[in-house]
Amino acid sequence: MSFLRRWWERRSMQFRITAPAAAVTLAFLLGLAVVAGRGLGPLRDSSVDTELAEALGPAVATVSAGGLPGPPDGVVLRVLDTAGAPVDGGPAPPLGPGDVRALKAGQPVTVDRMRWLGAVATAPDGQLRLVAAGTGLVGQRAAVQKAATWLLWAAGLGAALAAVATRLVVRFALRRVSRLRRTVRALPPGERVPLPEADDELRALAADFNALLARQEEAAQRLRRFTGDAAHELRSPVASIRVQAEVAVANPDPELAQETLADILAEAERLSALLDGLLTLARSDAGELPPAEAVDLLTEALAAADRLPPGSPAVRVTGVVGQAWAHAAHSEVELVLNNLLRNACRYASSQIVVSVLPGHSTVRVVVDDDGPGIPPEHRDRVFDRFYRVGDDRARTSGGTGLGLAMVAETVRRRGGRVSVGESPEGGARFQIVWRSAGNVSTS
């Protein structure tokens, strides 16, 4: 069965349309030929009975008047008594007692390739007479068989013609597909496939193909922007490391070398963070998604606050342990909270507030700081890759422009939402909404 399926799937569309159409036509015509062949015999007998009845009517009238009927051409007329014995002076007919009873009842009989039909007449002397009309069936059986054979041949020929016609019609219909293929091959970059005038499947296919082209071009543009931004961002720390290393080599002063090595270490750490961010986004773009589980957001928020470096602004975490469970991977929650808190630490003046708020079907994490905030005109782009509200300030604070982009990508691929606004302290408010995993016991 699998071999036949693979063989069928390798056939062309013309074959897969023509073959079933020809098979259905052949089956229909063969069935029609069989039914017609079986009906030829009864049709023949019915026609013969009609002719015998037409000859029998005048003959009965003649016998009732006391005469002997003259047989018409091709029909034998006999006058018998009710027992089947001839009273017309002719030889005894080849009719048995059962045949005679059937003829008296008006039922036709076939004996020795002769078809008989009878009727009872009353002679002038009051005697009952059986008038029988018969005709030969010689050659009619062969004619019926030959007609059935011709019907079978006609069915095969009809199926062949149907296959040829179907193939021509399908080929004609697929010419539009061939034209669409040629158009797609010659399509310049940035252009779209012209939509056919007919509102049919081909127009829908062209529309879907145009949508695919749009998505592909958008992805290519994002990739070009990402590649250009990544190259630009990588060039800065690499160039800085090179310049500082050249300074250290040219000036063997131990104190200057120590300062230079510290600067090189800071740039190397920035470069490492940038590479980690790029790898994380690349894995996300490739569709890698770790398995989800129930994660307690309040516990993870407390852990993320403990991981902040010494000297960071004070972090206050509010919520109830065991009441806010997100449907996500542990590594995803850790990445989101680490980046949000580190971003808040760069700009907060003295305090960061993290609120974990459970809901019926979602759970929210709100991070507020008392820093300068984000102007409204930048809030729509703050989650873009390599986008910085204040470029110089972000660079001096060690930012790479990827932290918030990773936050947005991580949350959105789990079906969540991310937004930015203004906090009650006047700084920035970042709000993350995850799907809730329900109230899961921690015991």
Side-chain angles (χ1 to χ4, degrees):
M1 185 62 69
S2 58
F3 170 77
L4 291 178
R5 181 179 300 173
R6 290 196 301 271
W7 177 86
W8 177 258
E9 291 176 351
R10 288 195 296 265
R11 302 304 98 189
S12 66
M13 183 177 294
Q14 291 187 15
F15 179 83
R16 285 192 281 178
I17 295 177
T18 302
V24 171
T25 303
L26 180 60
F28 175 75
L29 292 178
L30 284 177
L32 189 62
V34 171
V35 172
R38 292 181 177 177
L40 286 176
L43 179 62
R44 174 205 63 187
D45 294 340
S46 177
S47 300
V48 171
D49 293 342
T50 300
E51 294 182 2
L52 293 178
E54 292 175 355
L56 195 60
V60 170
T62 301
V63 172
S64 299
L68 291 176
D73 295 337
V75 178
V76 177
L77 289 176
R78 299 299 306 274
V79 181
L80 312 173
D81 59 16
T82 55
V87 296
D88 55 3
L95 298 173
D99 300 329
V100 173
R101 287 193 299 270
L103 291 175
K104 289 191 294 184
Q107 299 175 355
V109 297
T110 301
V111 180
D112 295 338
R113 298 186 181 181
M114 286 284 293
R115 185 74 169 176
W116 294 92
L117 184 64
V120 177
T122 304
D125 58 1
Q127 298 292 325
L128 295 178
R129 297 289 183 258
L130 174 61
V131 182
T135 186
L137 300 178
V138 178
Q140 294 192 22
R141 180 178 300 175
V144 170
Q145 293 177 351
K146 185 175 292 186
T149 302
W150 277 106
L151 285 173
L152 293 177
W153 278 103
L157 180 61
L161 292 176
V164 173
T166 303
R167 186 175 182 85
L168 292 177
V169 171
V170 172
R171 179 178 296 179
F172 178 77
L174 291 180
R175 287 174 59 187
R176 298 175 61 202
V177 179
S178 300
R179 287 197 298 267
L180 180 63
R181 290 173 54 196
R182 290 193 297 267
T183 302
V184 171
R185 291 196 193 102
L187 200 63
E191 296 294 329
R192 297 292 182 267
V193 179
L195 296 179
E197 295 182 1
D199 189 11
D200 56 3
E201 292 81 1
L202 195 60
R203 182 184 177 92
L205 177 62
D208 290 342
F209 188 79
N210 286 340
L212 177 63
L213 287 177
R215 292 195 300 270
Q216 184 182 18
E217 290 182 2
E218 182 182 356
Q221 291 175 0
R222 287 200 308 266
L223 179 60
R224 285 193 295 268
R225 288 197 303 268
F226 181 75
T227 303
D229 293 340
H232 176 74
E233 294 292 333
L234 289 173
R235 188 183 298 116
S236 177
V238 170
S240 177
I241 291 173
R242 179 178 178 179
V243 170
Q244 292 173 3
E246 290 175 351
V247 171
V249 172
N251 297 277
D253 184 2
E255 293 183 3
L256 179 61
Q258 186 66 26
E259 293 179 1
T260 304
L261 288 176
D263 292 338
I264 291 175
L265 178 60
E267 289 295 334
E269 291 176 349
R270 180 168 176 261
L271 179 61
S272 177
L274 180 60
L275 291 175
D276 289 341
L278 290 174
L279 290 175
T280 300
L281 291 174
R283 285 192 293 267
S284 177
D285 291 340
E288 295 184 12
L289 195 64
E293 56 183 336
V295 181
D296 187 357
L297 292 182
L298 183 60
T299 302
E300 293 299 324
L302 293 171
D306 292 339
R307 287 192 294 267
L308 292 176
S312 299
V315 179
R316 180 164 55 91
V317 181
T318 63
V320 180
V321 176
Q323 295 297 318
W325 295 84
H327 182 73
H330 183 276
S331 59
E332 294 175 336
V333 175
E334 184 176 302
L335 182 147
V336 169
L337 293 176
N338 285 343
N339 280 280
L340 287 179
L341 291 182
R342 288 172 185 172
N343 179 78
C345 284
R346 292 190 186 101
Y347 305 110
S349 299
S350 60
Q351 178 177 258
I352 300 171
V353 178
V354 181
S355 304
V356 181
L357 307 172
H360 178 67
S361 59
T362 60
V363 59
R364 290 184 297 154
V365 175
V366 180
V367 179
D368 294 312
D369 64 63
D370 56 356
I374 300 176
E377 63 270 17
H378 294 284
R379 292 173 185 173
D380 291 337
R381 299 191 57 193
V382 74
F383 296 104
D384 293 346
R385 300 175 183 183
F386 301 111
Y387 185 79
R388 297 183 179 91
V389 176
D391 193 66
D392 294 337
R393 183 178 62 182
R395 290 183 186 277
T396 57
S397 63
T400 63
L402 291 178
L404 295 181
M406 289 188 292
V407 169
E409 186 69 23
T410 302
V411 173
R412 287 169 183 164
R413 69 179 180 175
R414 283 295 181 192
R417 301 187 306 274
V418 58
S419 61
V420 61
E422 185 176 352
S423 73
E425 290 79 12
R429 162 172 284 189
F430 288 89
Q431 183 170 236
I432 306 299
V433 180
W434 266 296
R435 287 187 300 166
S436 176
N439 295 325
V440 182
S441 174
T442 58
S443 59

